[in-house]
Amino acid sequence: MKHFLIASFMAGAMALPAYAADYTIVAPAAPGGGWDQTARSLQADLQKEKISGKVQVVNVPGAGGTIGLAQFASQQKGNANSLLVGGYVMVGAILTNKAPVTLDAITPIARLTGEYEAVVVPAASEIQNIGQLIEMLKKDPGAVSWAGGSAGGTDHIGAGLIAKAAGVDPTKINYIAYSGGGEALAAILGNQVTAGISSYGEFEPQVKAGTLRLLAVSSAERIEGADAPTLKESGLDVVLENWRMVAAAPGISEEQKAAITADVEKLVKSATWQETLKTKKWQDTFLAGKPFEEQLAKDIAATETILKDIGLVK
């Protein structure tokens, strides 16, 4: 009887799904923005694909992700169950905030997605197209207020590049930084600003609902399903793509890093994740391992040049 019970227990255990580690994913921003959406998509899809049995998301907003980054680096050292979502915005924020903790303090795992920027105005705005917004900008740069994400992030860079391409001093733009996409969206919908700039996916529901007017996108070619010209089409030589990544804690072993990377690779190849990309209008820019680390170094150097060019970094 004893042997039968042991055999039954072992058989039952073997029948259970072989989950990897439970994960806690830190989204270093307020709810509603791109990092929060990425973290919660990872949470749902890792569980749906049975890659992880339990995944929770923790929001640590502030300073373009640098507060969450610093907290993650100091508190999660050696913890292979803790992940951090980040991306291009964080690269700019580290530079503009002169943050003491940089991306060197964590373990990059993979670039996951890319997304183009969109310029919008409230549906009730008198501005009907990007040309009219640019004319206002040329007339009085300070009178045009832009709502977007953290200072020095992709949205801020985008507004600066648009101004520069239009022949306007980018240091004179009136950019209002918000710690999360939800806060920026509320300001735009509440007519508290002239225009908004952020990833297209963050604005798409309101554009489709008719509460926001889409003026232009920052892609090289028009975005399928988005009824708006590119900035290049509109005479502004600007192409800009935001990207998002997932990283692990510092101080983990090579074996732990490999296991996390394997989980992420399994996820991005799944039909569930591919459907998420399609639904969110995210580009699949997956890049892992050494190639991602090398690309990250190049992006940091290029971003520093851009930020100096538009006056955000001395």
Side-chain angles (χ1 to χ4, degrees):
M1 184 67 178
K2 180 179 178 183
H3 292 298
F4 173 76
L5 289 173
I6 292 172
S8 298
F9 173 78
M10 292 299 291
M14 290 174 68
L16 292 173
Y19 291 122
D22 291 341
Y23 287 115
T24 295
I25 303 175
V26 176
W35 287 342
D36 181 65
Q37 288 183 33
T38 301
R40 294 186 190 281
S41 295
L42 286 170
Q43 177 189 39
D45 293 0
L46 281 167
Q47 292 176 142
K48 186 174 181 180
E49 285 294 316
K50 296 182 170 54
I51 295 170
S52 182
K54 181 182 178 184
V55 183
Q56 62 176 332
V57 173
V58 177
N59 292 88
V60 185
T66 57
I67 292 174
L69 170 66
Q71 189 179 110
F72 180 81
S74 65
Q75 296 181 4
Q76 302 304 321
K77 187 174 182 179
N79 183 359
N81 300 95
S82 191
L83 303 176
L84 175 77
V85 166
Y88 189 36
V89 171
M90 189 178 283
V91 172
I94 288 168
L95 292 165
T96 53
N97 293 327
K98 294 184 175 63
V101 178
T102 70
L103 294 177
D104 290 337
I106 58 175
T107 306
I109 296 295
R111 186 181 66 195
L112 297 173
T113 64
E115 192 172 14
Y116 294 109
E117 295 286 286
V119 179
V120 300
V121 292
S125 172
E126 295 179 355
I127 301 169
Q128 297 295 316
N129 54 60
I130 190 69
Q132 291 177 348
L133 180 64
I134 296 304
E135 284 306 310
M136 289 177 63
L137 191 65
K138 288 179 176 178
K139 186 177 180 181
D140 186 355
V144 177
S145 53
W146 302 77
S150 306
T154 319
D155 305 339
H156 199 167
I157 288 171
L161 290 175
I162 289 170
K164 186 182 177 189
V168 174
D169 182 352
T171 64
K172 297 194 182 304
I173 62 170
N174 180 11
Y175 183 83
I176 302 169
Y178 292 87
S179 63
E183 294 175 11
L185 181 60
I188 302 162
L189 291 171
N191 294 292
Q192 298 169 26
V193 293
T194 309
I197 182 167
S198 191
S199 298
Y200 174 67
E202 294 187 34
F203 290 143
E204 188 189 36
Q206 287 72 32
V207 170
K208 298 292 187 189
T211 55
L212 288 179
R213 180 178 300 123
L214 179 63
L215 301 184
V217 290
S218 70
S219 50
E221 305 290 338
R222 287 202 178 202
I223 296 174
E224 185 179 350
D227 186 20
T230 66
L231 291 167
K232 288 204 74 160
E233 233 183 299
S234 308
L236 300 164
D237 190 15
V238 177
V239 175
L240 182 64
E241 184 179 27
N242 187 13
W243 53 262
R244 301 193 181 105
M245 69 169 185
V246 63
I252 61 172
S253 68
E254 285 300 317
E255 291 76 15
Q256 289 171 322
K257 181 181 177 181
I260 294 167
T261 302
D263 284 347
V264 173
E265 287 183 343
K266 185 177 180 182
L267 175 71
V268 299
K269 291 176 182 176
S270 71
T272 299
W273 181 253
Q274 292 303 314
E275 183 60 30
T276 294
L277 295 178
K278 185 178 176 182
T279 302
K280 297 286 189 182
K281 298 290 193 298
W282 293 341
Q283 307 298 313
D284 188 349
T285 62
F286 178 70
L287 189 66
K290 193 70 174 175
F292 173 52
E293 291 172 16
E294 291 171 353
Q295 185 59 50
L296 182 57
K298 290 177 184 177
D299 287 348
I300 291 170
T303 303
E304 185 170 10
T305 299
I306 293 171
L307 290 172
K308 285 179 178 176
D309 204 26
I310 62 177
L312 292 175
V313 169
K314 299 295 183 184

